[in-house]
Structure formats: structure tokens, C-alpha cells
Amino acid sequence: MIDWIADYLATVEQYPVGSQVQPGDIRAMLPEHPPTEAEPFEAVLADMDRVVIPGLTHWQHPNFFAFFPANVSYASILGDLAASGLGVQGMSWMTSPACTEVETLMMDWMQELLGLPEKFRSTSERGGGVIQGSASEATLTSILAARWRATGGQVNTNGDTTRLVAYATSQAHSSIEKGLRIAGIGTGQIRAVPHDEHFAMRPDELARMIEADIAAGLIPFWVCVSRGTTSSMAFDPTAEIAAVAQPANVWVHVDAAMSGIAALAPEHRWVNEGMEHADSYCTNPHKWMGVNFDCDLFWTADRAALLGALSILPEYLRSKAAESGAAIDYRDWQVPLGRRFRALKVWFNIRTGGVADAVAMIRRHVALTQEFAEWADADPRFEVVAPHPLNLVVVRLVEGDAATDSLIERANASGRALFTRTVLDGKVACRVSIGASGTERRHVEDGWALLRELA
Ligand code: PLP
């Protein structure tokens, strides 16, 4: 299986980037009923080639320019395999002390590597970090902590969220609204704060909305600062937003799912500027650091609020270690009870040179993105529609929406590359996200040639 994975990654370029199958095709290649006799593993492996490969969209393909990346490294694959093989559940310190303590250390290492404030360290007075499965879970956790704090803990007893109000721009990721809905904050309690011409939140508009909500007897409680939005990689101004939000006791959560990892490179540390004002922060090594999915890093400066919102202590989970205060029980820092030993893949990755590799990759991707933007700028048929400080450039055809839509559709159907459609300022646009581990200049040239040929 390991050889098969290595061969796959070495030869992924031969496949069409987007899967060419139709709905139902994959299931139709498999027996309708489960086998009654055990099959040899070779038969299972053969079906990986016959059935699974044709049904894949190849995220590790160097011409994958869609969504945001989800790159992998060999070290992290082995770390994940080790976690599967050990099969431990790290819900409490005592259920597997190494699972908790390696994770806490990895969060502290990453705080250092990303230049994040000391207040997020496990050794700080009030903060700490945890590995979550996804940015969506981190966001939800942050909302639950903020909800607890804003209601003085009352929400745990009466479940009343009716007066709480949250803020984000229309550019914030869909996981923000999803998390709020799960937490009992309906769309009528979510304010879309206007953004500027670069799609970044306007703090003056936020101030106006918070003031109006307070005047109406509501409780502003949570704001999402997006550092690298999904549609266009816009950066909301953290310090200015915090200056408005925190005097009103509004929890400031920073969603840097994609872009925060860029801070591994000192010249991109600006992505995390203003973080000393954040109540919580998340970023995804599973997007751009070669740590395979799933791995989101979530820090808070107020772990008491998190524990207030999420700790429940049934008799069967009591332990002397936790009661002494000397140990962390990460089950109280997340939604599920059980948890995998995800820290191993971060640890393996960092110890085998993963940071230097990620920095080199990030620099390459950023440089290639700037080149792509220059090519698009120089072609009168295209326009670049948003700033592109990192590894996402968004373009459209001057001809208009129908032409841009048709271009994206035909480019994706070709199998030569994969792009994602978005709408910015009411106009259809094509996101070109450069982030696969194997992407080099020739792949980006090829993607640009494809768009030009079909335009
Ligand atoms: N936030 C932003 C800005 C994103 O771009 C994404 C995904 O691309 C998410 C959140 C959600 O990430 P996850 O899949 O880890 O929940």
C-alpha cells in the first residue's frame, strides 16, 4: 500500500485533474452486495486502480488550481499511519498521555514558528491551543466559547441565544454561518458588515452596526476577522476591528485557515499582524504546510471560556491528573469526545525538515502567482479583479459573465487543469489557486496557456 501511494504521488500528473465520471459511475463498478468470503488484499488494491483512481479529482496534481490546496508530505502520511496503527483515543490526558502532551508541545512549537503572540501558549496564564479536524470546527468552538462568555455562562442552563448578534463580511467562509447556526444564532442575528473595494471589512461600518444593536437591546458577542477570504484572499484589518469590538465585549475570532501558514516565511509574517488583539485564531497546516488532512490549529487567549462552554464531567471520565490541574483534557476543547493522535503528523513533518520545505514551497507558489497575474494583466482579454498578495489570483474575461463561465467550464472539462468559479462584486470570476506541492513554473504556464487558448 505504501509503494502504491508513493507510485501514485510520483505519477499523479498523468491523470486528468478533475474526475471525468458521472454520478453513479463508481458505484456501478462495484458489487451491489457485500462479499460473503474474505478476498485477498491484492484484489482490494487492484480496485484502487480500477475503480477509485478514475473517480478521483486529483488534489495532489500539479495543475490543481481549484478551491484551496490540501497538500501532503511523506512524513505526514507516515505520522498519520502511525496514529492509525496505534489506534489510541486521546480524549483525556489519562487515556493516552503522549497524545495530549505531544499535541500541546506541537501547538507551542507552531505558535513560535508562526510568530503568534505568547498569550496563545500553553504555558501562558490564560491561553492555549488544540488541534481540531477543520477550521469549521475551530470556528464553532470559538463561537461556543464567546457565547458562554457573553451570557456569563447562562447559556449552559437556559440555552437562550435570542439576543446574541454576530458579525462577518459577505466574504467570510460559509463555515462561519454554519457554526453560528449550529450555536443557535439564526441568520437574523448575523450581520453582513460592508467591505471596502478590496473585499476587506470596514471597521467604521462594524462600529455603526454594533452601536445600533446595543441601542436595540441586543448583545453583540462575536466577530469573524477573515485573514485570507476564500473568494479573493482579502484581509480584514484585525487591529482596527478589535479596537471597535473589544470595548463592546465582542469576541474577536481570526479565521486564517488558508493564509495564516504563510507566516512560516518571515516576509509573510504580516498575515498574522494584529493577532495580539485576537481572542481566538485558527489556521490549517492541511492546506499549505504539507500536513495531510485533517489538521487545523486553534488557539484561544481565554481557555476558561472554552472550558466553561464545553466541559462536562461524567463519573467515568474523572481522573486525579485532571483534577490536580496538571493535565489537559482536550475533550473539553472540541465538539467530539474521541480524538485521533493528529499531533504525530505535525511532529513527523517538522522533525524531518517540513518547515524549510513548506517555506520553499510557499515562496515558490507566491512567486508563480505574481507571474500569473502579470501574464493576465498583459492580455487585454483578461482582467485581474482583486489584490493577490499570496497564492490566489482571481481573473475574469472582459467580455463578461457568460464568456467567463464558459471558459471555466471548458477548461475544467479538458482535464488539463482545474479552476474554481466565484462571484465578486456581482461578476463571475475564475479563481487560480496555486498551492499543490508539486506545482512548478511549467504547470502554471500550462494552466495559463489553457485559459488563453480557450478564451
Ligand atoms: N475558512 C476559510 C477562509 C477557508 O478558505 C476554508 C476552506 O477553504 C475554511 C474556513 C474551512 O476550512 P475547513 O475545511 O478546514 O473547515
Side-chain angles (χ1 to χ4, degrees):
M1 188 77 240
I2 288 178
D3 285 347
W4 186 92
I5 293 168
D7 288 346
Y8 170 73
L9 290 174
T11 59
V12 63
E13 204 170 333
Q14 68 179 298
Y15 300 112
V17 187
S19 176
Q20 311 283 303
V21 300
Q22 298 302 313
D25 283 357
I26 300 301
R27 181 170 174 154
M29 282 196 268
L30 293 169
E32 190 56 27
H33 301 290
T36 49
E37 302 285 327
E39 298 177 61
F41 186 68
E42 288 69 29
V44 180
L45 203 49
D47 276 352
M48 290 295 288
D49 288 315
R50 184 182 69 90
V51 183
V52 173
I53 291 281
L56 293 181
T57 288
H58 298 279
W59 286 67
Q60 307 312 317
H61 197 299
N63 287 14
F64 181 93
F65 305 120
F67 309 108
F68 277 143
N71 53 43
V72 303
S73 64
Y74 290 113
S76 73
I77 294 169
L78 295 177
D80 218 17
L81 188 63
S84 297
L86 296 172
V88 300
Q89 283 285 353
M91 53 222 188
S92 322
W93 178 86
M94 63 126 174
T95 62
S96 209
C99 185
T100 296
E101 293 194 16
V102 176
E103 181 161 332
T104 308
L105 181 65
M106 287 310 102
M107 292 304 296
D108 287 346
W109 281 10
M110 287 302 297
Q111 172 266 330
E112 250 174 81
L113 288 166
L114 296 173
L116 291 168
E118 290 279 325
K119 69 176 186 176
F120 288 148
R121 265 184 105 74
S122 65
T123 47
S124 67
E125 207 182 318
R126 299 177 55 228
V130 59
I131 300 180
Q132 304 258 352
S134 65
S136 306
E137 291 164 71
T139 295
L140 172 59
T141 309
S142 153
I143 293 166
L144 297 175
R147 199 179 76 151
W148 183 89
R149 193 176 77 180
T151 61
Q154 285 295 309
V155 70
N156 285 2
T157 36
N158 62 19
D160 184 3
T161 56
T162 48
R163 289 169 60 219
L164 299 178
V165 187
Y167 307 83
T169 67
S170 60
Q171 303 298 301
H173 190 261
S174 57
S175 56
I176 307 307
E177 182 176 332
K178 190 191 260 189
L180 286 163
R181 279 201 231 160
I182 294 170
I185 318 297
T187 44
Q189 294 158 264
I190 306 173
R191 306 279 178 262
V193 184
H195 54 72
D196 64 16
E197 72 279 16
H198 296 321
F199 308 100
M201 184 184 285
R202 285 186 47 187
D204 58 331
E205 292 284 355
L206 175 68
R208 193 180 53 71
M209 287 175 150
I210 290 178
E211 205 178 307
D213 284 326
I214 293 173
L218 300 171
I219 306 172
F221 88 107
W222 189 83
V223 60
C224 177
V225 178
S226 302
R227 294 293 288 172
T229 57
T230 315
S231 262
S232 72
M233 209 171 262
F235 288 84
D236 294 341
T238 312
E240 288 86 339
I241 291 170
V244 168
Q246 280 170 338
N249 198 29
V250 175
W251 182 291
V252 177
H253 174 64
V254 177
D255 175 11
M258 170 67 215
S259 307
I261 287 294
L264 289 177
E267 71 274 25
H268 299 311
R269 279 272 163 97
W270 61 267
V271 296
N272 289 334
E273 70 194 13
M275 231 41 71
E276 61 279 15
H277 304 289
D279 293 291
S280 55
Y281 169 87
C282 75
T283 189
N284 285 359
H286 73 223
K287 283 186 164 60
W288 209 15
M289 191 182 151
V291 177
N292 52 305
F293 191 85
D294 53 348
C295 183
D296 167 273
L297 309 179
F298 173 69
W299 283 274
T300 178
D302 185 359
R303 63 175 181 261
L306 200 61
L307 299 180
L310 297 176
S311 304
I312 298 177
L313 188 59
E315 287 303 322
Y316 48 82
L317 290 176
R318 281 187 184 280
S319 77
K320 283 203 177 100
E323 275 157 33
S324 73
I328 294 177
D329 283 347
Y330 274 131
R331 65 162 193 275
D332 295 335
W333 295 57
Q334 61 171 24
V335 174
L337 172 67
R339 57 203 323 278
R340 306 191 309 114
F341 202 161
R342 291 192 193 96
L344 284 180
K345 58 189 173 189
V346 181
W347 195 43
F348 281 31
N349 184 275
I350 293 176
R351 289 187 66 185
T352 57
V355 175
D357 289 351
V359 169
M361 175 178 72
I362 288 164
R363 289 183 171 147
R364 191 174 74 244
H365 290 155
V366 174
L368 290 171
T369 306
Q370 305 318 308
E371 267 199 279
F372 187 103
E374 281 168 26
W375 301 334
D377 259 335
D379 187 320
R381 293 169 303 168
F382 285 84
E383 60 182 339
V384 175
V385 297
H388 43 83
L390 291 176
N391 66 328
L392 177 74
V393 53
V394 190
V395 298
R396 67 190 303 271
L397 284 174
V398 178
E399 201 183 328
D401 284 355
T404 307
D405 255 332
S406 155
L407 173 64
I408 299 167
E409 214 167 288
R410 285 175 295 130
N412 288 349
S414 77
R416 262 173 69 187
L418 198 70
F419 304 95
T420 302
R421 173 188 188 274
T422 193
V423 174
L424 277 174
D425 260 349
K427 292 178 188 161
V428 175
C430 175
R431 293 169 73 268
V432 183
S433 159
I434 298 176
S437 317
T439 303
E440 290 170 10
R441 194 166 192 274
R442 67 188 170 90
H443 304 108
V444 180
E445 280 172 348
D446 194 33
W448 172 236
L450 175 67
L451 291 182
R452 258 195 1 234
E453 281 163 31
L454 297 176

